Amino acid sequence: MKLSRRLSWFLLAFGVWSWVIWITFVKNLVKDSSGLAFDNGHPTAYFWVHLLLAVVSFVLGTVIGGIGLRGLRALRRTS
């Protein structure tokens, strides 16, 4: 299957965007002082659920970005 240049760039940008957004979110989650993420220094269910969401998003962002990168490399080889 061949991806268009536009779609390949979109997928790569999505992967990068996913990493940027979720890294920022995890940093803020760890620094949370509202009591949602930590209760007396111990992680709460809120923390674990959101950390799981971040990890899944890192994996999906990496896979999707990798597909975009492979699409761009394939287009460059055929040009």
Side-chain angles (χ1 to χ4, degrees), residues 5-43:
R5 184 173 312 278
R6 185 176 179 182
L7 180 58
S8 295
W9 275 110
F10 174 78
L11 294 175
L12 182 59
F14 177 87
V16 171
W17 175 257
S18 180
W19 270 85
V20 169
I21 291 301
W22 284 98
I23 285 175
T24 303
F25 182 82
V26 169
K27 285 180 182 177
N28 291 334
L29 182 65
V30 170
K31 293 188 294 187
D32 179 58
S33 61
S34 70
L36 283 174
F38 296 98
D39 184 24
N40 294 327
H42 299 290

Side-chain angles (χ1 to χ4, degrees), residues 50-79:
H50 286 83
L51 185 62
L52 178 64
L53 286 171
V55 169
V56 168
S57 294
F58 288 141
V59 170
L60 290 175
T62 302
V63 170
I64 291 169
I67 292 169
L69 185 61
R70 288 180 66 191
L72 288 172
R73 286 182 177 167
L75 286 169
R76 189 172 43 181
R77 277 191 302 249
T78 59
S79 299

